[in-house]
Amino acid sequence: VFEKQGKYDFAEQHYRTAGGINPSNSLLVTSIGTVLEKLKNPKAALVQYTKACDLMPPSAIARLKRARVLANLKQPHAALEELKLLKAIAPDEANVFFMLGLVHKMLKQKSEAIRNWTIAGNLDPKAQSHIKEEMERLEDMSDEDYDTLPM
């Protein structure tokens, strides 16, 4: 309830209390990470997402959030490894391929970025306009722009 109201400090406190009761619940740990991200604390969120992935390795949500945070922390190689694992867990998830495209963009791997965005668009046709925007941005980018993600 507090998270939906934007009261992230209270939400974190309540999630941590619940996590103390059930420390092996990866969903609670992921929720703590989500709140920490909203509180602009990505490093602490990364710790929680890593813990959630350790508790439940096939957790697609925790892995996707972990990859996003790694990319935002300018760790594209680590994000890429996480996304490769995630692709095996959720091979039909458009968000995975969209994120792969963003990470390849950060790594200045234009053809791989386009390939992954094309797969994402095929998996989720409703996202075509958003994917097209990213492809157009890729065409317009200078070399200095490659390490920034639109997240």
Side-chain angles (χ1 to χ4, degrees):
V1 174
F2 289 117
E3 184 178 357
K4 292 196 186 312
Q5 294 174 344
K7 298 177 181 178
Y8 302 121
D9 290 326
F10 290 117
E12 179 189 2
Q13 181 182 8
H14 284 273
Y15 284 138
R16 287 192 186 276
T17 300
I21 295 167
N22 189 357
S24 62
N25 186 323
S26 69
L27 185 58
L28 281 173
V29 176
T30 301
S31 296
I32 293 168
T34 301
V35 169
L36 289 168
E37 261 191 282
K38 290 177 181 176
L39 287 170
K40 309 252 186 279
N41 192 346
K43 290 181 180 178
L46 180 60
V47 169
Q48 295 302 312
Y49 295 146
T50 301
K51 183 178 175 184
C53 290
D54 291 343
L55 288 170
M56 178 150 312
S59 172
I61 294 170
R63 288 207 180 275
L64 185 62
K65 289 180 179 219
R66 185 173 189 276
R68 185 185 62 227
V69 169
L70 286 166
N72 284 332
L73 290 172
K74 308 291 188 246
Q75 297 178 35
H77 294 285
L80 184 61
E81 291 306 310
E82 195 67 39
L83 288 165
K84 285 179 181 178
L85 289 171
L86 186 54
K87 189 166 73 167
I89 295 168
D92 296 329
E93 180 56 50
N95 287 328
V96 174
F97 289 95
F98 185 76
M99 275 294 302
L100 276 164
L102 291 174
V103 170
H104 282 295
K105 175 179 154 182
M106 289 179 75
L107 293 170
K108 301 180 183 178
Q109 299 170 345
K110 184 177 176 179
S111 63
E112 282 297 307
I114 292 170
R115 187 176 75 77
N116 281 288
W117 285 331
T118 301
I119 294 168
N122 290 336
L123 290 171
D124 185 4
K126 294 178 195 166
Q128 284 288 356
S129 63
H130 188 61
I131 292 166
K132 186 178 178 185
E133 283 178 27
E134 282 303 319
M135 287 185 182
E136 288 171 358
R137 280 192 201 125
L138 185 64
E139 294 294 325
D140 297 339
M141 288 176 62
S142 65
D143 285 343
E144 300 84 48
D145 296 329
Y146 271 91
D147 63 349
T148 58
L149 285 181
M151 289 187 224

